Amino acid sequence: MRRWKSRSSIWRRPCIQPVLIPFNLFNHAPKHISSFGAATFAEVATKKTSKYQIYFSRISDPYVNLSVEHFLLQNTPPDSTVLLLYVNSPCVVIGRNQNPWLETDLRLMQNTPVVGRDHHGMGYEHVQLVRRRSGGGTVFHDYGNVNYSVICPTQEFSRDKHAEMVTRVLRNKNPRAHVNDRHDIVLDQGSFQERGRPDPTNLHPTGSQCEDISPAPLKVSGSAYKLTRQRSLHHGTCLLASPNLEVVSNYLRSPARPFMKARGVDSVRSPIGNVYDEFRKNSEDLTFAFQRGVADSFAELYGLEQGGLSPLTDIDDKTIRDPRVQCIRGYVEEDVKDIPDIECGIKELKSLDWIFGQTPQFIVSSHPSEEDDRPRPPLPSKVPPSARVYLKVRSGIITSSRISISSTQSVALAEAERFGSIINERKILNIGNFERNLNEAGYHEKAEEVVAISSWLDRMFGFVDTSG
């Protein structure tokens, strides 16, 4: 198997001076909830009698949290139902079958940080790129966003069941929240006089009631799913009070979109909003209130205080092996990444083979073609009108190309063949800079044209501009 190398400058990060505002994510953690170290977590999660499990992650690394989630999907008892709540550091998370070059602005992610957190408090952090194991579209995570994940037996799975569970919590703060026909949680806009006061018992009004009116509802929570024969995963986001709301769309707007035709899943663009009107310094209080609310809603949904089931139990050395304990809750600590299955999961999610090499086939073409006949925006002024660029990429590898400068067909064919001999069968990330590679073709008399085409390709694929 070919492995991705790190020669590319795609993840080079400049040093950023933080702006210091107090922000301690777990300052107000309820003291009565147990903390699970790696060994305890693995034992409790896989115990046959652990029928209901609730976990609050103290980890902000998205690679770790998604690997914990995958561990729970694969290792919890087949008849168990699990809730995991976590907050990630700033990242863009693409779906299993999506194209990072099409869904994100990779150069912006390298060069422009967002409001995040450092060891002093709040500062600036660069946005990481993550490919999750479930399907669905691209989402943006930060410290103002809470993620929830529910794992249950497949025969009990419903796309709306747990979205409505979360909506019940949001309704306590915002009565406009409801589940739409795409199973997203949205907030109606406009005054109650214009829309009418929402029915508190109706969490899922029909499209004609809420989707076909203006202004459109704001999406605050999207979901993705992974279904297996025995187990199903539903995980979703919830924008409570993101400080980066106004810039999210910039990171999810690829400059290559007008020139790129891809297989796989394309994201559905929706207007987004925070549950709360503005970001506040005490947003960690909102986070904890929401997490506790979701945990309570989960407990109510599954009747954990009724029907003879044991109440939610905070695990300690005395109760961990007690077969009467069916319902547990606790904090997941940083050392869970030492669990072998989770460690392997983190390594996979961080690998360039996974992030970029799993991309379905796509083409990039500067002009309309048989495969993609859409009109194109104008190319940069320095690119000659006669220039043509066509690349076919599969699993992150250029499988064929046609790059030419001349308007004379025979010369253009010769140019395409020479350029192709340099870049074909190479991984996009190993190219790192198209100018250096295309100059190997030896067209020194066309150096300016080669630079112009190379700069355009570097922008399409998110390579850092090193010309200055």
Side-chain angles (χ1 to χ4, degrees):
M1 178 185 294
R2 303 186 194 184
R3 303 299 299 176
W4 294 98
K5 299 178 183 178
S6 58
R7 287 165 45 191
S8 166
S9 57
I10 195 165
W11 297 120
R12 183 160 44 202
R13 305 282 173 80
C15 180
I16 302 297
Q17 295 298 320
V19 175
L20 302 181
I21 303 173
F23 188 89
N24 296 310
L25 193 60
F26 290 98
N27 268 358
H28 306 284
K31 296 180 180 179
H32 66 280
I33 298 180
S34 305
S35 292
F36 293 154
T40 305
F41 173 74
E43 185 171 357
V44 167
T46 58
K47 191 160 67 83
K48 290 183 178 180
T49 56
S50 296
K51 186 172 178 59
Y52 295 99
Q53 308 177 31
I54 298 176
Y55 301 108
F56 304 86
S57 175
R58 275 182 158 148
I59 304 159
S60 61
D61 185 328
Y63 303 106
V64 179
N65 280 324
L66 286 173
S67 296
V68 169
E69 186 181 79
H70 191 61
F71 174 85
L72 292 170
L73 176 64
Q74 292 192 314
N75 293 281
T76 47
D79 62 343
S80 65
T81 303
V82 182
L83 172 66
L84 172 67
L85 295 156
Y86 57 93
V87 175
N88 282 332
S89 59
C91 59
V92 170
V93 185
I94 63 174
R96 170 69 178 82
N97 299 307
Q98 289 199 295
N99 183 326
W101 293 288
L102 184 64
E103 296 293 336
T104 69
D105 188 331
L106 292 172
R107 183 179 288 185
L108 185 69
M109 290 171 65
Q110 300 163 74
N111 294 336
T112 309
V114 298
V115 176
R117 183 168 61 95
D118 66 9
H119 64 282
H120 296 293
M122 183 169 290
Y124 286 105
E125 293 184 26
H126 282 277
V127 180
Q128 299 182 87
L129 178 62
V130 184
R131 183 190 293 276
R132 63 178 179 268
R133 295 180 177 90
S134 61
T138 299
V139 292
F140 183 94
H141 293 177
D142 64 15
Y143 295 108
N145 177 90
V146 175
N147 302 282
Y148 63 92
S149 174
V150 181
I151 301 164
C152 66
T154 295
Q155 64 268 25
E156 298 177 10
F157 171 78
S158 163
R159 292 182 187 272
D160 286 331
K161 182 178 183 179
H162 298 111
E164 291 175 354
M165 175 189 77
V166 173
T167 302
R168 291 187 185 94
V169 180
L170 297 179
R171 279 278 180 98
N172 292 329
K173 294 295 181 182
N174 195 323
R176 303 173 187 272
H178 65 85
V179 182
N180 69 10
D181 292 337
R182 294 186 54 82
H183 318 289
D184 300 322
I185 302 174
V186 298
L187 301 179
D188 283 339
Q189 301 303 294
S191 66
F192 287 143
Q193 288 78 14
E194 295 171 335
R195 295 265 178 124
R197 187 166 293 277
D199 179 355
T201 65
N202 187 1
L203 300 176
H204 197 167
T206 63
S208 60
Q209 290 177 283
C210 55
E211 302 301 319
D212 299 333
I213 49 180
S214 181
L218 296 179
K219 180 176 175 179
V220 297
S221 176
S223 294
Y225 314 94
K226 183 176 179 62
L227 278 63
T228 68
R229 186 174 61 85
Q230 286 192 315
R231 305 288 279 160
S232 291
L233 163 71
H234 170 185
H235 52 185
T237 60
C238 193
L239 280 164
L240 294 182
S242 170
N244 300 300
L245 190 69
E246 293 184 358
V247 301
V248 167
S249 62
N250 297 337
Y251 292 85
L252 307 184
R253 186 184 300 122
S254 169
R257 182 166 287 275
F259 303 95
M260 188 175 290
K261 181 76 170 179
R263 297 179 182 176
V265 177
D266 200 4
S267 294
V268 177
R269 311 287 161 171
S270 303
I272 60 173
N274 281 325
V275 173
Y276 295 88
D277 291 336
E278 60 183 53
F279 179 70
R280 289 175 276 180
K281 289 183 183 180
N282 66 339
S283 63
E284 68 271 23
D285 294 330
L286 306 181
T287 296
F288 292 122
F290 175 74
Q291 288 182 323
R292 287 194 295 269
V294 173
D296 290 343
S297 186
F298 176 87
E300 181 180 359
L301 177 64
Y302 287 99
L304 302 191
E305 303 291 342
Q306 306 169 18
L309 286 175
S310 57
L312 287 168
T313 301
D314 300 315
I315 297 298
D316 55 30
D317 291 338
K318 295 180 180 179
T319 59
I320 189 171
R321 294 176 180 85
D322 188 341
R324 295 171 297 175
V325 176
Q326 296 177 303
C327 313
I328 59 172
R329 65 180 173 185
Y331 283 105
V332 179
E333 302 290 351
E334 188 77 27
D335 65 349
V336 296
K337 63 186 180 183
D338 296 329
I339 296 172
D341 285 356
I342 294 177
E343 184 180 16
C344 289
I346 296 168
K347 184 177 180 181
E348 179 184 46
L349 290 183
K350 285 186 172 182
S351 72
L352 298 181
D353 275 316
W354 174 259
I355 297 173
F356 294 99
Q358 292 293 318
T359 304
Q361 180 175 296
F362 65 96
I363 61 169
V364 176
S365 53
S366 59
H367 293 75
S369 65
E370 291 183 4
E371 295 163 284
D372 182 8
D373 59 0
R374 293 175 298 163
R376 302 293 197 272
L379 295 175
S381 58
K382 292 184 179 180
V383 176
S386 58
R388 295 291 185 273
V389 176
Y390 171 92
L391 302 178
K392 180 176 284 188
V393 183
R394 185 172 185 175
S395 301
I397 299 170
I398 300 172
T399 58
S400 64
S401 67
R402 294 192 299 273
I403 300 176
S404 62
I405 300 170
S406 177
S407 58
T408 303
Q409 185 175 7
S410 59
V411 177
L413 288 173
E415 292 170 341
E417 185 175 350
R418 192 182 298 186
F419 286 130
S421 68
I422 297 168
I423 64 173
N424 287 355
E425 300 303 322
R426 294 186 62 186
K427 295 177 179 178
I428 291 289
L429 293 192
N430 285 355
I431 288 176
N433 176 281
F434 275 93
E435 180 183 350
R436 180 177 62 248
N437 287 273
L438 295 184
N439 274 334
E440 293 179 15
Y443 288 110
H444 304 300
E445 72 282 5
K446 300 178 180 179
E448 290 185 7
E449 292 90 336
V450 170
V451 169
I453 292 172
S454 300
S455 296
W456 179 76
L457 281 169
D458 286 344
R459 184 69 183 103
M460 294 300 99
F461 287 102
F463 294 127
V464 173
D465 183 4
T466 59
S467 61

